[in-house]
Amino acid sequence: KSGRYLLDKSAIDQLPENGRRIKNSPALLKACTQRLHLVECTDRRLFDHVRKTLERKYPHASAIIDGLLRPLERGFMSGRSELKLRPTILVGGPGTGKTAILRDFATALDLPVTRISVAGNADSNVFGVSAGWSTALPSVMTSAVASSLQLNPVIILDELDKAQTTHN
């Protein structure tokens, strides 16, 4: 579970030529070779606390909060302590608090959060940008894991309905 590496220390010298950014950047190299961990829950009461805290702040969103927590609770009851969220799409009008709820939900569970607006994006910068193929830029997902050193960060793709279609 814990103790996994984003990049094995022994593989650094075997990076391709376009991986020089990692080799030449002490901060990026350190982030890529640190031990990564899963955020876990060891006490079921955490879910009750998160539910009460968020429902107090977002009384209009109790169904959303319950929908986000229920799979985590079922996993915990079946013996899984790691917090694994399923991909979820929240739908609602502008300003209803979709992003705020998700950010507060992740923070309450002590999960690292990365938010990216995909409004107007035409390439797949979530999985790796077009320029990333030639410059070895990491994807949003890789960057979120490397910066938090957690294997289960929450990535919020904001404004998904405003993303452009592309042939890439």
Side-chain angles (χ1 to χ4, degrees), residues 81-145:
S81 61
E82 27 329 283
L83 297 176
K84 292 183 180 180
L85 294 170
R86 294 174 37 184
T88 304
I89 296 176
L90 297 185
V91 179
T96 55
K98 298 177 296 291
T99 304
I101 290 168
L102 288 175
R103 183 177 289 129
D104 288 348
F105 176 78
T107 301
L109 291 169
D110 204 24
L111 292 167
V113 181
T114 297
R115 181 199 155 273
I116 178 168
S117 175
V118 294
N121 285 348
D123 63 1
S124 58
N125 66 344
V126 174
F127 303 105
V129 294
S130 301
W133 296 104
S134 62
T135 61
L137 290 172
S139 67
V140 170
M141 290 185 224
T142 302
S143 298
V145 169

Side-chain angles (χ1 to χ4, degrees), residues 1-7 9 29-38 145-146 148-151:
K1 293 180 183 179
S2 64
R4 298 178 191 163
Y5 294 92
L6 186 61
L7 175 69
K9 291 180 182 182
L29 183 61
K30 181 179 180 188
C32 288
T33 57
Q34 290 291 316
R35 285 188 174 275
L36 303 175
H37 302 281
L38 284 165
V145 169
S148 67
L149 300 178
Q150 300 293 336
L151 290 170

